[in-house]
Amino acid sequence: MLEMESDTLDRLDMELLTALEINGRASFSRLGTVLGASDQTIARRFRRLTAEAGLRVVAIRDAERLGQDQWMLRLRCAPDNALNIADALAKRPDTAWIGLASGGTEIVCLTRPRNPGDYDDLLLGKLPRTPSVLDIRAHQMLHRFYGGPTGWLRRFKVLADDQIAALLPEPALGPARVEPDDEALIAVLERDGRATYPELQRATGRSESAVKRRLATLIGSGAVYIDIEYDSEVFGYPRAAVLWITATPAALHSVGEALATHDQIAYASATAGTSNIVVTAVVKDTAGLYDYLSGPLGQLDGVRHVEASPFLRRVKQLTYRTLPLNSPATRAPSK
């Protein structure tokens, strides 16, 4: 179990972050009831976490549940232009978890093209014509072992099982599907996952009751989930790395399932590419990364090769936020 180390956050802050990761649209009143605090206290803590921990609540389309492609890109770039390329990628709505690695010569980027045109535009159009991009490796995500709706903050185990159960959204019957009429609704939630029902009503032209029903269906079916981004360094975990793992084909699933149980792992997926598993590891420091590589990961049967790409700088999590040129990679990927 992970332990929080922070000079600015306390246990209630971590409980609130975890609760929001489980149900980002839960009312302050509901959150207060579950966490044993007043709704006024929860509202104050929410505002403070937004200001001091980079908290943001947003809606994410679950590409795996929707049957849509996802790709993890590794771009080897000329060092003098890598940050500009990463920044340009960060502005695209179909990218997330963009970071500079390998001393600033590599960009790691998750892209979720919503149609073949998006894929062609990025991978067959813009990137190959960018002079400073020296090499492109595209790893298609095949099967998620951990991450997405299941957030990394649960590794801290600050909530009891009954608290988690009280926060979980109601499941909905039916397939995970996004209809054309849902686009206006989701667009608002992608900017603010806690947008009020009157705001959603105005954006969609639907009645408030219709908005509530449709949003409950989208979330309950798994087509969309409400996620949070935050600065993990404020509770003692400032370092992150992408690990490119090659497992024997027979051990691919068992290795992936084992990785999903490791506290350090925020995301794990089987991939098609030069490696067959990609994970994001979040640690306190470089010694913690070494301990993980030589310990829990190194002891897994079936792992043949591991390449670690520590992040030098985080450019984008779920949303685009400009960082100054000397900012460290302190925002740890979690989905």
Side-chain angles (χ1 to χ4, degrees), residues 38-94:
S38 69
D39 52 354
Q40 294 91 343
T41 297
I42 295 298
R44 285 195 301 269
R45 294 297 183 105
F46 181 90
R47 290 191 293 269
R48 186 164 71 86
L49 288 168
T50 300
E52 299 181 9
L55 172 63
R56 189 163 183 190
V57 182
V58 292
I60 303 292
R61 303 167 197 247
D62 192 338
E64 180 152 322
R65 293 294 301 272
L66 293 170
Q68 298 173 342
D69 285 345
Q70 293 187 97
W71 297 78
M72 187 73 80
L73 307 182
R74 298 184 69 180
L75 312 178
R76 188 166 60 88
C77 303
D80 60 348
N81 208 28
L83 184 59
N84 292 331
I85 294 170
D87 193 59
L89 287 168
K91 294 176 182 177
R92 293 178 60 99
D94 57 353

Side-chain angles (χ1 to χ4, degrees), residues 23-24 28 90 93 102 119 130 161 192 219-220 239 242 260 264 284:
N23 187 346
F28 290 149
S102 304
Y119 174 88
T130 304
D161 290 344
D192 178 7
I219 294 175
R239 301 295 178 188
V242 175
Q264 296 85 353
K284 293 180 179 180

Side-chain angles (χ1 to χ4, degrees), residues 81-160:
N81 208 28
L83 184 59
N84 292 331
I85 294 170
D87 193 59
L89 287 168
K91 294 176 182 177
R92 293 178 60 99
D94 57 353
T95 63
W97 307 123
I98 300 174
L100 293 181
S102 304
T105 62
E106 182 179 62
I107 298 170
V108 179
C109 169
L110 177 66
T111 180
R112 301 175 174 128
R114 295 177 188 172
N115 57 66
D118 291 341
Y119 174 88
D120 293 346
D121 176 58
L122 182 60
L123 292 183
L124 304 180
K126 287 185 169 58
L127 287 176
R129 293 198 302 267
T130 304
S132 296
V133 176
L134 308 177
D135 183 55
I136 303 171
R137 298 184 187 182
H139 300 251
Q140 187 175 19
M141 317 302 268
L142 302 179
H143 174 77
R144 183 174 60 211
F145 296 110
Y146 191 84
T150 306
W152 179 68
L153 292 178
R154 297 193 199 188
R155 306 286 199 191
F156 289 85
K157 300 187 185 303
V158 296
L159 296 183

Side-chain angles (χ1 to χ4, degrees), residues 286-307:
T286 53
L289 179 59
Y290 172 79
D291 290 342
Y292 177 67
L293 294 175
S294 61
L297 178 57
Q299 294 168 9
L300 287 180
D301 291 335
V303 173
R304 297 176 56 187
H305 181 263
V306 178
E307 181 183 356

